[in-house]
């Protein structure tokens, strides 16, 4: 098998594993949330803001990590 094909298969496999891991993480979070009971009324604007803040922090951390190498 050529190097290009091997690389493509490896990348596809890595993505698939990450996707499966993400689904498992979401399932655990969902089940933990259900087990915790009701929290009260949800404010979707607060939820969106929190998600955006987390995403921005993750991106900022990723950039710092990649710049160090």
């Amino acid at each position: 098998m050529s190097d290009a094909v091997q690389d493509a298969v490896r990348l596809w496999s890595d993505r698939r594993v990450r996707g499966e891991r993400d689904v498992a993480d979401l399932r655990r979070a969902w089940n933990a949330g259900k087990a915790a009971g009701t929290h009260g009324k949800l404010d979707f604007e607060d939820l969106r803001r929190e998600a955006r803040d987390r995403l921005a922090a993750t991106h900022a951390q990723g950039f710092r990590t990649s710049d160090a190498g």
Side-chain angles (χ1 to χ4, degrees), residues 15-28:
R15 281 187 185 158
R16 185 172 178 205
V17 168
R18 271 186 268 133
E20 290 171 355
R21 193 176 322 129
D22 289 348
V23 168
D25 289 345
L26 285 170
R27 258 195 201 108
R28 279 191 291 279

Side-chain angles (χ1 to χ4, degrees), residues 1-3 8 13-14 17-18 22-23 25 28 30 40-43 45-47 55 57-58 61-62 66-69:
M1 201 179 322
S2 75
D3 288 344
S13 179
D14 290 349
V17 168
R18 271 186 268 133
D22 289 348
V23 168
D25 289 345
R28 279 191 291 279
W30 176 264
K41 187 175 178 181
L42 287 177
D43 183 340
E45 287 304 316
D46 285 343
L47 192 60
L55 183 62
T58 299
Q61 181 181 4
S66 63
D67 290 343

